[in-house]
Amino acid sequence: MFRTAVRNVLAHKARLLMTVLAVMLGVAFVSGTLVFTDTLGNAFHNQARKSYDDVAVAVTTWAERGDEETAAVDEATLEKIRDLDGVAEATGRVSGFAGVAGPDGKLIGNGWSNTGSNFTPGENGEDRQYDFTDGTGPVEDGQIALDEETARKGEYTVGEKVRVATTGPVKEYTLAGVFTTEDGAVNAGGSLVLFDTEVAQRLYLRPGEFRDVTVVAAPGASDERLLAAVEPLLPKDAEAKTGAALAAEEAEATEAGLKGLNTILLSFAGIALFVGVFLIANTFTMLVSQRTRELALMRAVGASRRQVKRAVLLEAGVVGLIASVTGLLLGLGLAIGLRSAMGAFGGKIPAGPLVVSPTAVVSAFVVGILVTVVAAWLPARRAAKIPPVAAMSSVHAVATTRSLVLRNSVGGVLALLGAAVVVAGSTRSTDTGRALVAGGAFLALLGVIVLIPLLSRPVIALARPLLRKVFGVSGKLAAQNAVRNPRRTGATASALAIGLTLVTGISVLGVTLGRAVDKMTTDNIRADYMVSMASGEPLDESALTALSKADGVAAVSPQQAVWLTVGDGGVSASAVTPGDIEKVFALTTVSGSLDSLGDGAIAVAADTAKSRGWKTGDSVAVEFQDGKKENLKVGALYEGNEFLSPVLLAKDVADRHESLPQIVEVWLAMDGGQSAANEQAVVDALGDNPAMSVMDRQGIRDMFGGFVNTAMNIMYALLAMALVIAVLGVVNTLAMSVFERQQEIGMLRAIGLDRRRVKRMIRLEAVVISLFGAVIGVGLGMFLGWAVGKTVSSSVPGYALVLPWDRIAVFLVLAGLVGVLASLWPARSGAKLNMLTAIKTE
């Protein structure tokens, strides 16, 4: 039976090609994901181990510039650590944000991973953490050193002036040297600037103090003993760990992060394989149907049902094995491509080999073979039931309407139950509600897939008059062929339906959330520009002062973060400029007056006031972060604004208690509104600082709504594999259908249907099946998109369902185009059939 299975695979290799491709793509997705994440994990693990190879003990504090309460490691403590027995070297570090301007004046890097630190040379004049390829480290006030990649992007050479921005005004430094580093920030697409130690301390902490200390052990010294000796010397709240422990923690954190990525990618690989199951099942169903006489003859000459079933499953196993081998090789290429793509988008992966683990290899073969065999099980079971007497007939067993009764009943129950669970889940804006929607969606999708053969007749019947009227005989025959075998049509359409269900659901949810975020932005903001740090860190007070004096500024207000303790709890507040805040934000007063902010009162969002029992005129006892208390009068209640905290107070009130104001953003209204001249005036006022972002209204809308579009595009890209497999399913079904109907096509040709109309008939059949699957998928996708949206609507202000009809129309057009493209080869093959040969074919 094994030899028979192999011969059958070789005899039908053209018809099994699409099945091999579908499984191969799914296996490539799985194996590529595993190899890619294993490679990343190994590279980052090696990087962490290398970074801590020479580290015996690492000391970390949480001291910040402007925070006088949190202690750091001072010079005296650092000297005590250096004097301990077994210490070969102890190095103090400080760090913070530092951005470098490129040739175009823009920031090099992504902002959040642009860092600055200090150069700490040992007795030999070198800093063991950095290898200099040109020049030396900075040892003077006006010098810096840059990592090699940043120097290359900025086209800087040693001796040139470099514009560097920290949280304050931009300054020029002389480039003293260029170095290589395995620093994680640089690998993430950022930059690293090294300053002289005293300069870095002034910028990021306090003179003579360090945030972190790295201890290198002398030969033979124990890391654990050094740790025990270092800990008593440290200030309160400082933390010390061995280098080995830190390397293990970093590796664990990397593994946890990659595990999440792995899960997401494998989920989409699972979707692709699930879609592939329909293609495989359809292929083997048609093969069994076309070989009815052959299988029945095997039964007639003594083969048992078990042997026939085993023969079909062996064929599937051989196909799965071939697909697994090719899929694994393609997966290796995919992993290499993903690694290169990360580099192209600015992410630098540490050097390291491609890791092909036994898990990835075994998974490729298990998934490929198992999916193929499981998908072929039902066709194999049907093949085993063929009675020997069927060998005397050339009539293939065609599914009847009666045979679909049980299937339709099960499908109806699943679809109704799934829909009920989805609706129940949509009423709950909690994780439980979303879990119910997910479970119900799975049941509903299964139910619809089971019902698709039943749905094919009435749905396609709606298009039959149009096909007959527009395309004549070809259209009529295409509609009849599409519903001739409901199982086959259903299996082919199901693959497209699954893909379009997900794509449509994502589109409905994404567009709805995007519109809500966009509406929230336009409804709440009156400002023409928003200024913030590219790093996400607070702006320096000097930026606000400079903007207040800029040409054309009509109103300027910071959004300064303040925390107020009220009773046993707390509330976040925004320190703003009285009188200007109403000009940059749309604020609707419920009671009182926002002018009271200028008199030292506070304004409270109406919802917050209601929950705390406050009303206009009340006096509220608050405690600031410096521990001082004040009684602040509630001067106004206003409708909440999503861009401001629920409590507003004047900036001068907050500054009485803030040594280092946390200015998150500065909002500007300009005379004459937005214009190139006004924007340039803002940029000039900031000293053309590359680290400061100046956004107009559209930029603000894009920033807050951009993540939705980015997420949608990623989802579309990951679902592309499933849609490609669905297209292969349409091609495969049509090609095998043409082969099966050779005699019929020959008869049609003989009675006058020319080649052009044969092509049109097959092409229209493909379009009808594709559009049928698309309509089912779009309808189910809209339903699921609505349900998921309802579960998050309470946390999204201004949420209102939006059906993206333009995108849905595009999906349907693309589905029709898929049908046209998928039919090119089958239609050409059908039209080229020799009439006499086709008529004689059984």
Side-chain angles (χ1 to χ4, degrees):
M1 295 307 291
F2 180 75
R3 289 197 301 271
T4 302
V6 173
R7 281 200 302 268
N8 281 328
V9 170
L10 295 175
H12 303 105
K13 52 184 178 290
R15 280 174 273 175
L16 290 169
L17 176 62
M18 297 301 173
T19 298
V20 171
L21 286 175
V23 180
M24 179 187 73
L25 290 174
V27 169
F29 210 149
V30 172
S31 59
T33 295
L34 293 174
V35 171
F36 175 62
T37 52
D38 286 345
T39 299
L40 254 64
N42 181 68
F44 285 118
H45 180 72
N46 289 340
Q47 181 193 48
R49 188 175 58 193
K50 182 179 177 182
S51 299
Y52 294 108
D53 267 349
D54 298 329
V55 178
V57 177
V59 177
T60 303
T61 72
W62 284 266
E64 297 286 346
R65 178 171 170 259
D67 178 6
E68 302 296 335
E69 295 184 1
T70 306
V73 177
D74 57 23
E75 289 279 3
T77 303
L78 183 59
E79 285 301 323
K80 290 178 183 178
I81 294 173
R82 286 174 177 155
D83 292 340
L84 291 172
D85 290 338
V87 173
E89 182 182 319
T91 305
R93 302 282 182 192
V94 289
S95 59
F97 170 77
V100 178
D104 57 356
K106 303 296 184 182
L107 182 70
I108 296 175
N110 48 35
W112 58 268
S113 60
N114 292 91
T115 57
S117 187
N118 60 305
F119 173 71
T120 307
E123 293 180 0
N124 59 359
E126 295 180 359
D127 188 329
R128 67 168 59 234
Q129 193 163 336
Y130 308 105
D131 295 321
F132 279 81
T133 58
D134 192 13
T136 61
V139 292
E140 296 178 6
D141 197 332
Q143 293 182 334
I144 61 164
L146 292 177
D147 68 273
E148 193 172 49
E149 186 66 14
T150 302
R152 184 190 64 80
K153 291 178 180 177
E155 302 175 5
Y156 293 119
T157 57
V158 172
E160 288 188 336
K161 293 291 185 181
V162 181
R163 297 176 69 244
V164 179
T166 53
T167 54
V170 64
K171 292 181 64 176
E172 281 195 345
Y173 295 85
T174 300
L175 182 62
V178 176
F179 58 89
T180 59
T181 179
E182 289 297 322
D183 186 273
V186 176
N187 287 331
S191 62
L192 179 59
V193 182
L194 295 182
F195 300 91
D196 174 64
T197 296
E198 291 185 3
V199 174
Q201 287 174 329
R202 290 199 304 269
L203 287 172
Y204 300 127
L205 193 56
R206 295 179 287 268
E209 294 187 345
F210 300 94
R211 183 177 294 124
D212 307 311
V213 175
T214 301
V215 179
V216 178
S222 165
D223 291 357
E224 295 296 337
R225 288 183 181 177
L226 281 179
L227 176 64
V230 168
E231 283 183 321
L233 303 176
L234 300 178
K236 182 184 177 182
D237 298 329
E239 185 178 63
K241 294 183 179 180
T242 63
L246 285 173
E249 285 182 6
E250 193 166 316
E252 187 178 341
T254 300
E255 185 177 343
L258 291 175
K259 186 177 180 181
L261 175 64
N262 214 20
T263 301
I264 293 171
L265 292 176
L266 288 177
S267 298
F268 283 92
I271 292 170
L273 286 167
F274 184 56
V275 171
V277 164
F278 293 95
L279 191 160
I280 299 165
N282 221 14
T283 300
F284 278 93
T285 297
M286 296 178 75
L287 281 176
V288 167
S289 177
Q290 293 168 10
R291 289 158 49 200
T292 300
R293 295 188 65 183
E294 173 191 330
L295 295 172
L297 281 171
M298 288 174 64
R299 292 289 314 282
V301 298
S304 66
R305 286 188 174 186
R306 181 177 296 177
Q307 286 177 311
V308 171
K309 183 177 179 180
R310 191 184 302 156
V312 176
L313 291 178
L314 280 172
E315 289 181 42
V318 172
V319 170
L321 179 63
I322 295 170
S324 296
V325 172
T326 53
L328 177 60
L329 295 175
L330 184 60
L332 297 180
L334 180 63
I336 295 171
L338 286 172
R339 184 171 178 171
S340 300
M342 283 191 69
F345 284 104
K348 181 182 176 184
I349 300 175
L354 193 70
V355 178
V356 185
S357 66
T359 302
V361 176
V362 171
S363 297
F365 284 95
V366 169
V367 168
I369 296 173
L370 186 64
V371 167
T372 311
V373 171
V374 168
W377 183 79
L378 276 177
R381 186 169 174 270
R382 293 193 195 104
K385 289 184 175 181
I386 296 174
V389 72
M392 306 303 295
S393 172
S394 62
V395 178
H396 303 319
V398 178
T400 63
T401 303
R402 185 177 178 182
S403 69
L404 295 172
V405 171
L406 178 61
R407 173 177 179 147
N408 295 338
S409 300
V410 172
V413 170
L414 286 174
L416 290 173
L417 178 61
V421 173
V422 168
V423 172
S426 69
T427 62
R428 304 183 184 184
S429 299
T430 61
D431 290 339
T432 302
R434 285 183 278 277
L436 284 173
V437 170
F442 180 71
L443 289 176
L445 185 60
L446 281 181
V448 169
I449 289 170
V450 172
L451 283 173
I452 273 186
L454 174 67
L455 297 173
S456 64
R457 292 184 182 278
V459 174
I460 293 176
L462 294 175
R464 187 178 299 171
L466 179 64
L467 290 171
R468 185 168 54 244
K469 183 176 181 180
V470 176
F471 301 103
V473 174
S474 296
K476 179 180 179 180
L477 291 173
Q480 290 175 343
N481 289 334
V483 295
R484 176 185 296 182
N485 190 324
R487 288 183 187 273
R488 184 184 304 166
T489 298
T492 306
S494 292
L496 275 173
I498 293 169
L500 282 173
T501 294
L502 296 172
V503 169
T504 304
I506 290 169
S507 297
V508 170
L509 184 61
V511 170
T512 299
L513 291 176
R515 292 278 180 88
V517 172
D518 189 62
K519 186 176 186 297
M520 178 180 68
T521 306
T522 54
D523 287 354
N524 288 291
I525 295 174
R526 289 177 177 168
D528 296 308
Y529 298 101
M530 180 189 79
V531 176
S532 61
M533 290 292 293
S535 62
E537 295 186 353
L539 287 156
D540 190 79
E541 186 81 23
S542 60
L544 177 61
T545 302
L547 290 170
S548 300
K549 299 175 182 178
D551 293 337
V553 172
V556 57
S557 177
Q559 207 281 73
Q560 180 175 319
V562 179
W563 181 257
L564 302 175
T565 301
V566 183
D568 295 331
V571 62
S572 62
S574 293
V576 299
T577 303
D580 283 1
I581 186 64
E582 306 98 310
K583 299 175 183 177
V584 294
F585 286 105
L587 296 175
T588 302
T589 304
V590 175
S591 64
S593 172
L594 291 173
D595 292 339
S596 62
L597 290 172
D599 299 325
I602 59 174
V604 184
D607 290 345
T608 300
K610 182 179 180 181
S611 65
R612 291 182 174 271
W614 298 343
K615 59 183 182 297
T616 304
D618 285 354
S619 181
V620 179
V622 303
E623 182 180 331
F624 290 86
Q625 285 184 289
D626 62 355
K628 296 180 180 179
K629 298 179 180 179
E630 286 194 34
N631 289 320
L632 300 177
K633 179 182 176 182
V634 178
L637 301 184
Y638 67 95
E639 291 183 4
N641 186 298
E642 298 302 322
F643 295 89
L644 293 169
S645 299
V647 174
L648 305 181
L649 73 162
K651 177 171 168 51
D652 58 357
V653 174
D655 286 349
R656 295 200 293 261
H657 307 277
E658 301 277 346
S659 58
L660 191 66
Q662 300 292 301
I663 302 175
V664 181
E665 304 134 0
V666 176
W667 298 83
L668 303 166
M670 309 294 290
D671 290 327
Q674 294 178 185
S675 67
N678 278 339
E679 183 170 343
Q680 190 59 50
V682 174
V683 171
D684 291 342
L686 295 170
D688 197 14
N689 192 321
M692 293 185 184
S693 169
V694 179
M695 291 187 185
D696 59 15
R697 287 181 186 173
Q698 187 58 49
I700 297 168
R701 293 167 67 183
D702 292 343
M703 179 184 71
F704 287 104
F707 74 93
V708 176
N709 292 328
T710 300
M712 286 174 62
N713 291 334
I714 292 173
M715 294 288 189
Y716 287 157
L718 292 173
L719 286 172
M721 190 74 77
L723 293 174
V724 168
I725 293 174
V727 173
L728 293 178
V730 179
V731 175
N732 199 45
T733 299
L734 286 173
M736 295 185 73
S737 179
V738 168
F739 178 84
E740 186 178 279
R741 287 155 36 200
Q742 288 185 70
Q743 188 179 60
E744 174 189 318
I745 293 172
M747 289 293 293
L748 290 171
R749 290 290 315 285
I751 61 175
L753 197 68
D754 59 21
R755 289 184 176 182
R756 181 172 57 84
R757 284 188 286 182
V758 168
K759 284 184 179 181
R760 184 185 298 165
M761 176 188 70
I762 298 171
R763 195 178 300 126
L764 288 173
E765 182 181 347
V767 171
V768 167
I769 293 174
S770 297
L771 285 176
F772 168 58
V775 168
I776 297 296
V778 165
L780 187 56
M782 287 193 292
F783 172 62
L784 297 181
W786 162 81
V788 175
K790 289 287 288 183
T791 65
V792 300
S793 59
S794 62
S795 58
V796 181
Y799 181 93
L801 179 67
V802 177
L803 295 179
W805 294 112
D806 52 344
R807 298 194 186 200
I808 290 171
V810 170
F811 296 156
L812 293 175
V813 170
L814 289 177
L817 184 61
V818 162
V820 173
L821 295 176
S823 67
L824 292 179
W825 173 43
R828 186 168 179 270
S829 300
K832 289 175 66 177
L833 287 175
N834 182 280
M835 280 185 286
L836 296 179
T837 303
I839 290 172
K840 290 188 294 181
T841 301
E842 296 187 4

